[in-house]
Amino acid sequence: MSAMLVIPEQEDLALRDWRARGAIVKAEALSLRVSSEETKTTATGLLGACRKIQKDAEAKRVSLVTPFNDHVKAINGLFREVLAPFVEADTHLDGQLLARRREEVRLAAEATAAAERQRLEAEAMLREAERAEAAGKVDIAESLLDTAVACEQGARVAEVQAQAPARVVRTAAGTSSVRKTWAFRVLDPEAIPRKYLDLNEARVRKAIMAGVRDIPGIEVYQEESLAVRT
């Protein structure tokens, strides 16, 4: 359900007057063809009336919305102040959880590499033990077998440590999960294709106002517009 629009009575009278005059002025303006000094004078008068009404209406509009805008700003400011500690805590905890996730991934990768090394070493020890046993070197073969067993056990321990960290953490207060999104950072601005670049029109206009007239790829020119006083 939309809110009812309430405008003070005196302002409503002005709006009614402008609405009534608007249809008349529009009809006169659209039917006018400026082809002589007389019609030029008429057009200037109509244009002045249009600009004055727009100026007065804008002033009325601003006077009506300013109290509401000020109230909205005050409410937004109050909520920003109240929520500031929570936002700061949120940012800190978010960073801590992501940092821990990266550390867990790193540790898991290291454990995976360690498990692979231990397994390869166990296989190598077994082969050495087989050769030692075939050569009649029983004591050496047993020692190599013991080493192979120890390496295999180390590989199993490392495999447990290599388990990927949980992507979701659930608590009574909330759940956190890790997701991947695409992002980017600029490495070489000169290498970026033109289709990904936006012209900074405000900066260009500021440069022109400061007297710059020669900008590669841009034509700086003058165009005429009417200045109307009311």
Side-chain angles (χ1 to χ4, degrees):
M1 182 176 179
S2 60
M4 182 180 296
L5 181 62
V6 179
I7 297 178
E9 182 179 356
Q10 64 272 24
E11 308 297 350
D12 188 37
L13 292 175
L15 287 172
R16 289 179 184 177
D17 177 61
W18 292 332
R19 183 177 286 111
R21 293 178 61 188
I24 298 173
V25 171
K26 176 182 175 181
E28 291 183 13
L30 296 184
S31 65
L32 182 63
R33 293 296 177 269
V34 180
S35 57
S36 64
E37 287 298 318
E38 182 181 357
T39 52
K40 186 161 67 173
T41 299
T42 301
T44 299
L46 284 173
L47 183 57
C50 288
R51 296 288 175 89
K52 186 177 188 308
I53 291 175
Q54 291 177 80
K55 181 179 178 181
D56 292 344
E58 177 62 12
K60 293 289 185 183
R61 185 194 69 80
V62 170
S63 69
L64 288 171
V65 302
T66 294
F68 297 101
N69 288 340
D70 290 344
H71 187 59
V72 170
K73 289 179 181 177
I75 292 176
N76 290 339
L78 175 62
F79 274 79
R80 278 195 299 271
E81 177 189 351
V82 170
L83 294 178
F86 299 98
V87 173
E88 186 175 354
D90 183 299
T91 301
H92 174 75
L93 294 172
D94 187 277
Q96 288 288 307
L97 287 171
L98 287 175
R100 180 56 190 171
R101 167 72 182 183
R102 289 191 290 269
E103 179 65 10
E104 290 173 342
V105 169
R106 184 187 68 79
L107 292 173
E110 288 183 354
T112 298
E116 183 63 18
R117 287 194 303 270
Q118 296 267 32
R119 187 170 291 106
L120 291 174
E121 188 173 348
E123 292 174 357
M125 290 299 101
L126 284 174
R127 289 193 296 270
E128 289 291 333
E130 290 174 355
R131 285 194 288 267
E133 187 176 5
K137 301 176 181 179
V138 179
D139 292 341
I140 295 177
E142 290 180 353
S143 177
L144 289 170
L145 281 173
D146 290 340
T147 302
V149 171
C151 288
E152 183 62 30
Q153 290 175 343
R156 290 173 184 171
V157 172
E159 281 183 345
V160 174
Q161 296 174 342
Q163 296 297 318
R167 297 182 66 86
V168 179
V169 178
R170 292 183 174 87
T171 70
T175 300
S176 68
S177 59
V178 177
R179 58 175 179 160
K180 292 185 177 181
T181 56
W182 292 105
F184 71 92
R185 63 174 61 91
V186 176
L187 300 178
D188 183 3
E190 299 299 327
I192 300 176
R194 289 180 58 84
K195 65 180 179 180
Y196 297 116
L197 301 177
D198 289 329
L199 179 64
N200 191 326
E201 293 189 13
R203 183 174 295 178
V204 172
R205 294 184 186 280
K206 185 176 180 180
I208 293 173
M209 292 295 292
V212 177
R213 298 291 179 264
D214 185 12
I215 303 176
I218 295 178
E219 178 189 5
V220 180
Y221 63 94
Q222 288 184 313
E223 59 183 8
E224 292 183 336
S225 62
L226 283 176
V228 180
R229 287 185 179 180
T230 61

